[in-house]
Amino acid sequence: GKIGLKQWCIHRDRQRRSAVKNRMIDQLRNVMPSGMQIPKEIKALYQYIEDNHLYIDKNGCRYGVLFPEDELMASRTEHGREGGTRIIFYPGGTENLKYWFASGEHEELQQRLCVFAQTGGEGSEAAFWLTDEGELKIIHMGSGSGSMLSCVLADNALDFLRLIAIGYDEICWDEDFAYPPNENPDAEVMVKPNTKFQNWVTQAFGTRIPKTALEVVKHPANMDDESSEDAFFKWIQKYM
């Protein structure tokens, strides 16, 4: 059947936009081990970042965020800030694994992990982890100088988006995970939610935002723990 001119223009515009290369997706693809695929939810996130100009280009690399950095910095007071969770997406790949693991150059580590975000100002990072079963999970690697969190953050990419939409200051501090944002009695920074990002996650994926991180992070584990039920914590012991 015929379609109206307006619908045709909208269709062509969508086609044209989807054909435009997404620089952040290309950057990530370039550093990913050959056995990994970028989850569709992460591709959608990177398109959201591009569409909303939530990126900083520096030294030939594009860094993505969830809230405009200039607005976030300008909103800071001694009591809090706007902008929800602060996280920086960048193509870390396997380059810095040597700083985390004694055997960081080990071939298996290089094939099974891929850093894609900085989760904390002290240097903690999030990475894709290819499990023994061939599933792609998202894990946390604490910096060791601040956060010690080393575990599976999310069993899949959608749960990861739901986690970063909750609204914690940073997702590297597991002492906050049992509380909704700002409700930890020891909280020093009050963070206003990033409602635009929250609405995008719920509407784009037909999902809901959890009340606390423990709905997503099943077994928070720290690198100096004796033992843990967490699958990533168990897996990395042979490399530590």
Side-chain angles (χ1 to χ4, degrees):
K2 290 184 178 177
I3 59 169
L5 182 61
K6 187 180 176 187
Q7 280 85 355
W8 182 82
C9 289
I10 290 168
H11 175 67
R12 281 307 299 272
D13 184 50
R14 279 196 189 131
Q15 276 190 324
R16 201 174 290 120
R17 273 188 295 165
S18 65
V20 173
K21 286 207 160 207
N22 181 306
R23 185 169 165 191
M24 288 188 60
I25 292 173
D26 286 346
Q27 287 179 162
L28 181 55
R29 196 177 276 129
N30 289 340
V31 298
M32 262 193 151
S34 55
M36 285 187 193
Q37 298 287 324
I38 305 175
K40 65 181 188 299
E41 294 87 357
I42 298 298
K43 287 183 179 176
L45 169 67
Y46 283 10
Q47 195 57 54
Y48 171 87
I49 288 169
E50 292 265 355
D51 290 346
N52 289 281
H53 303 285
L54 296 168
Y55 54 78
I56 301 124
D57 291 335
K58 192 175 169 186
N59 302 328
C61 184
R62 178 160 289 182
Y63 297 83
V65 292
L66 300 178
F67 190 84
E69 275 289 287
D70 53 347
E71 290 180 38
L72 187 147
M73 293 303 179
S75 73
R76 277 184 188 274
T77 67
E78 58 183 300
H79 303 297
R81 63 165 179 80
E82 292 184 11
T85 293
R86 188 160 188 249
I87 185 168
I88 301 170
F89 298 96
Y90 80 107
T94 59
E95 202 177 328
N96 294 331
L97 295 181
K98 57 183 177 285
Y99 301 120
W100 264 270
F101 304 101
S103 51
E105 303 291 340
H106 193 289
E107 194 176 333
E108 189 181 25
L109 281 172
Q110 298 281 324
Q111 291 302 312
R112 304 281 289 275
L113 291 168
C114 178
V115 172
F116 71 99
Q118 184 177 322
T119 59
E122 36 59 272
S124 292
E125 298 191 307
F128 298 111
W129 171 46
L130 196 60
T131 69
D132 291 340
E133 294 74 38
E135 294 177 287
L136 200 66
K137 296 182 187 279
I138 291 169
I139 58 93
H140 194 267
M141 300 194 306
S143 66
S145 60
S147 168
M148 304 287 277
L149 187 67
S150 301
C151 64
V152 175
L153 279 180
D155 285 330
N156 55 64
L158 179 55
D159 277 349
F160 176 71
L161 296 188
R162 295 170 68 233
L163 173 67
I164 60 176
I166 296 172
Y168 297 102
D169 180 28
E170 296 175 315
I171 55 163
C172 60
W173 309 110
D174 58 308
E175 54 265 34
D176 293 333
F177 286 3
Y179 304 93
N182 306 319
E183 291 192 19
N184 182 339
D186 299 326
E188 293 175 10
V189 180
M190 303 298 279
V191 180
K192 291 181 182 171
N194 183 348
T195 51
K196 183 175 179 179
F197 179 66
Q198 288 179 331
N199 291 338
W200 175 75
V201 171
T202 56
Q203 289 162 22
F205 302 101
T207 188
R208 64 171 192 84
I209 309 299
K211 291 274 192 292
T212 73
L214 290 184
E215 288 185 46
V216 176
V217 189
K218 302 294 195 301
H219 305 290
N222 282 268
M223 58 180 74
D224 57 355
D225 287 349
E226 291 272 313
S227 63
S228 171
E229 284 181 60
D230 181 74
F232 180 68
F233 178 92
K234 289 178 179 175
W235 185 75
I236 58 174
Q237 295 312 306
K238 58 186 166 184
Y239 302 108
M240 300 308 272

